[in-house]
């Protein structure tokens, strides 16, 4: 019995150390990515992603999506976004939705896009809330529903993390003649 407890303790310690190493690797990779040192960031992010770190998986997807530190490959971007999204990472769910919406790295599927926009929006991700509002406004991937569209647009522009940027972009687009932007601003009373 004592041997089993010692083995379990040793296993727990190893797992904790491994998790710390993966987090450290991700943080180093992200810092390099943010510093636009993509070639140096890529291997660190890839190693952390392969070990299951959801934020590293998302960031690796961005590398493939934009061709940063590696060749652009939308299919691989979609695969890494999907792995991260499966771990309920809102930014990755939003990216998976965009891939389905635009048919990048995967076949275009408006219903799947709507499904992933919904998952991300429900985690309070402003860009997904705005995109979900557009799905309801236009009836893309779901039935058109103006009340739900207004709800999600209002939620997006009032979101503390990104809402003011969305509102500013809507206003700029409306000033440049974008009819959808004008309609959305009217719908939300801005």
């Amino acid at each position: 019995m004592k041997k089993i407890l010692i083995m379990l303790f040793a296993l727990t310690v190893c797992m904790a150390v491994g998790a710390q190493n993966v987090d450290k690797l991700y943080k180093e990779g992200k810092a390099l990515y943010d510093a636009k040192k993509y070639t140096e960031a890529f291997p660190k992010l890839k190693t952390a992603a392969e070990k299951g770190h959801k934020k590293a998986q998302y960031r690796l997807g961005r590398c493939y999506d934009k061709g940063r530190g590696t060749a652009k490959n939308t299919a691989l971007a979609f695969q890494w976004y999907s792995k991260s999204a499966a771990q309920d990472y809102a930014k990755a769910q939003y990216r998976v939705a965009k891939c389905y919406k635009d048919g990048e790295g995967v076949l275009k599927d408006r219903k799947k896009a709507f499904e992933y926009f919904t998952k991300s929006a429900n985690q309070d991700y402003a860009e997904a809330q705005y995109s979900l509002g557009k799905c309801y406004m236009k009836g893309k991937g779901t039935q058109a529903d103006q009340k739900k569209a207004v709800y999600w647009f209002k939620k997006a522009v009032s979101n503390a993390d990104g809402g003011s940027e969305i509102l500013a972009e809507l206003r700029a687009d409306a000033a440049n003649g974008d009819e959808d932007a004008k309609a959305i601003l009217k719908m939300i009373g801005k």
Side-chain angles (χ1 to χ4, degrees):
M1 180 70 165
K2 190 174 180 181
K3 284 184 180 181
I4 293 173
L5 288 175
I6 291 170
M7 285 178 52
L8 285 174
F9 177 74
L11 182 62
T12 303
V13 168
C14 288
M15 287 173 46
V17 168
Q20 288 173 348
N21 289 339
V22 172
D23 283 339
K24 184 177 183 244
L25 206 53
Y26 165 70
K27 286 176 184 171
E28 290 171 0
K30 184 179 181 308
L32 289 165
Y33 183 96
D34 291 345
K36 297 183 175 24
K37 296 180 179 179
Y38 304 122
T39 310
E40 295 170 51
F42 183 80
K44 290 179 183 284
L45 293 171
K46 189 167 195 254
T47 301
E50 288 170 343
K51 292 182 181 199
H53 194 285
K54 69 183 179 183
K55 290 182 179 181
Q57 291 170 337
Y58 163 78
R59 188 69 54 186
L60 188 62
R62 296 296 290 158
C63 287
Y64 282 116
D65 197 2
K66 301 294 182 186
R68 294 181 176 156
T70 189
K72 182 175 173 131
N73 185 324
T74 57
L76 283 174
F78 176 77
Q79 287 175 17
W80 285 107
Y81 288 149
S82 295
K83 288 179 187 208
S84 180
Q87 294 187 68
D88 291 327
Y89 190 50
K91 285 183 178 183
Q93 290 169 334
Y94 172 74
R95 288 289 162 199
V96 167
K98 295 227 358 138
C99 288
Y100 276 121
K101 177 184 158 285
D102 300 330
E104 291 198 4
V106 67
L107 291 175
K108 189 181 276 195
D109 187 331
R110 290 288 188 163
K111 287 186 181 191
K112 287 266 190 199
F114 174 78
E115 176 188 328
Y116 279 93
F117 280 138
T118 301
K119 287 179 183 186
S120 182
N122 283 329
Q123 291 192 66
D124 207 31
Y125 191 61
E127 290 181 63
Q129 292 168 338
Y130 174 76
S131 294
L132 189 56
K134 285 197 87 167
C135 289
Y136 281 117
M137 178 182 171
K138 302 271 188 178
K140 302 279 184 170
T142 188
Q143 285 289 118
D145 185 325
Q146 298 311 299
K147 285 183 182 180
K148 287 182 180 177
V150 168
Y151 170 82
W152 285 109
F153 287 140
K154 284 183 175 181
K155 204 157 172 57
V157 300
S158 65
N159 190 310
D161 190 18
S164 58
E165 290 87 354
I166 291 171
L167 184 57
E169 192 173 322
L170 271 170
R171 287 180 172 150
D173 289 347
N176 289 326
D178 184 313
E179 294 302 320
D180 281 348
K182 289 178 185 177
I184 292 166
L185 289 170
K186 186 174 181 180
M187 289 169 83
I188 62 174
K190 299 275 182 184

